[in-house]
Amino acid sequence: MLDRAPPDPSAPPPHLTGLRGALRALRNFGFVGVGAPTAGDYDSFTASDGQVVPVCVLGDGPPLVLVHGVGCSHRDWLPVARRLARCHCVLAWDARGHGRCRPVRGSITLARMACDLAEMLDHFGLERPVLVGHSMGALTLMQYLHSYGTQRVGAVALIDQSPRIVTDDNWRLGLFGGCSAAMLSGLIAGARRDLAETLLNEVGALGGPWLKRHLVADAPLGRMLRQRLGRVDIRPLLDLAESMAQADFRASLLRMDAPLLVVLGARSPHYAGVPLDAWYRDTVKHAQISIYPHAGHSPHISEPLRFARELERFISDHA
């Protein structure tokens, strides 16, 4: 669909996030300390495999479920959630391996998280909730819709996410418009071999020469972080990365019959210049597309007031 040369399978993928996002992801993955949740806002449910999933619950009214992206947590939704909680019961979990949802039982996959979502709807007795997903959360919703259909869903909102993240000669609408399966598998394999080196090289490259010097193996900070990361079981998160790389929900979205809002950031480091808006318009004829000209990959974080207002209007139009 894009007039570009095929991606080079040997080239490394561009950086997925900036330095601030990388540090936030380290916190949300539990590699650095995580603060306590706000008192009184937390609930939880126990999934069918015994995993306890914490859920932040705010407000009262028609149900609205917010599903965060990779390296995020319920905290990233709070500015939006607090506004929406004036008229809705808003539920935002910490997905497996994120925030306070640790230790992790077994592998993390999109299929497992879609099952978690179905079980969460059961646990809280949610009737036709609006489901909102960002990035990995959007893929989780796509997997849920693929596996369980739209019978229990009132409406869906997807934020800055392609239905297939890897690219090839026939699909250029994945990450960066040119991130092949070979690129991602190489990155995942590197993390399986040496998590600390892979992560610290990424953070050092983002932080510039000063930080890079302090993250080398013989620097005190670099030595301490390598010791700490060496104790982390990264396998569940890498299983998740492989699951996302293998996912392809293009055919499922062709059958989408629930109201759909698609929000895209025009400056997204993942999809800027990739015409996902045209693909969604062509594929889901009834979809409402909203592009944020000044937003990156997380329009709901950079412009929470606009996002909350547009989501409320979308919900009201399809009530």
Side-chain angles (χ1 to χ4, degrees):
M1 293 187 183
L2 290 176
D3 186 16
R4 297 185 186 178
D8 178 0
S10 64
H15 297 301
L16 291 171
T17 185
L19 177 61
R20 182 181 299 177
L23 295 176
R24 185 175 69 243
L26 290 175
R27 183 198 71 190
N28 288 325
F29 286 142
F31 301 159
V32 296
V34 179
T38 305
D41 288 346
Y42 255 66
D43 205 326
S44 66
F45 70 95
T46 302
S48 54
D49 65 349
Q51 178 78 56
V52 177
V53 181
V55 184
C56 178
V57 183
L58 299 172
D60 192 20
L64 180 59
V65 176
L66 307 175
V67 188
H68 64 74
V70 166
C72 300
S73 75
H74 80 279
R75 294 170 180 265
D76 296 87
W77 284 114
L78 287 178
V80 167
R82 288 176 178 137
R83 289 180 171 88
L84 295 169
R86 298 167 186 167
C87 300
H88 296 271
C89 177
V90 181
L91 301 93
W93 70 14
D94 284 351
R96 293 174 183 243
H98 294 71
R100 301 183 68 84
C101 192
R102 293 186 306 272
V104 177
R105 287 179 172 267
S107 294
I108 310 174
T109 64
L110 290 175
R112 178 63 253 187
M113 291 195 296
C115 182
D116 290 344
L117 180 56
E119 292 172 358
M120 187 178 91
L121 301 188
D122 288 338
H123 175 84
F124 288 100
L126 303 183
E127 297 293 334
R128 297 190 62 77
V130 175
L131 306 179
V132 184
H134 166 237
S135 192
M136 173 196 78
L139 288 175
T140 301
L141 298 191
M142 293 182 206
Q143 179 70 62
Y144 173 86
L145 296 169
H146 174 78
S147 300
Y148 300 93
T150 59
Q151 293 86 349
R152 299 184 62 184
V153 176
V156 177
L158 307 175
I159 305 173
D160 211 59
Q161 183 56 55
S162 170
R164 184 181 186 224
I165 67 172
V166 298
T167 59
D168 56 31
D169 290 347
N170 299 313
W171 176 254
R172 304 291 179 81
L173 305 186
L175 282 170
F176 320 118
C179 184
S180 68
M183 289 179 186
L184 282 184
S185 63
L187 189 63
I188 294 167
R192 288 197 188 276
R193 285 192 303 271
D194 192 334
L195 167 66
E197 210 58 43
T198 300
L199 276 179
L200 296 180
N201 284 340
E202 179 79 5
V203 173
L206 292 166
W210 181 89
L211 184 59
K212 193 170 185 177
R213 284 198 305 274
H214 285 78
L215 293 180
V216 297
D218 56 354
L221 178 60
R223 187 163 55 250
M224 182 271 290
L225 288 173
R226 281 169 175 77
Q227 290 172 351
R228 179 157 188 169
L229 290 169
R231 298 192 292 268
V232 173
D233 183 4
I234 193 66
R235 289 173 297 177
L237 292 171
L238 295 178
D239 293 340
L240 171 60
E242 289 185 344
S243 172
M244 293 169 61
Q246 294 164 6
D248 184 351
F249 298 112
R250 292 174 292 176
S252 297
L253 285 169
L254 277 169
R255 302 187 296 272
M256 180 69 172
D257 58 0
L260 176 64
L261 170 65
V262 177
V263 175
L264 303 171
R267 298 184 180 181
S268 170
H270 298 66
Y271 300 112
V274 177
L276 275 176
D277 57 328
W279 184 86
Y280 276 109
R281 285 191 181 95
D282 290 343
T283 304
V284 187
K285 302 297 185 183
H286 63 272
Q288 176 181 323
I289 314 296
S290 184
I291 300 175
Y292 286 47
H294 306 294
H297 183 51
S298 305
H300 61 298
I301 294 177
S302 59
E303 299 184 51
L305 182 57
R306 174 184 170 181
F307 180 83
R309 285 174 173 168
E310 289 192 351
L311 183 59
E312 287 177 324
R313 191 159 52 243
F314 169 73
I315 294 170
S316 177
D317 288 345
H318 296 91

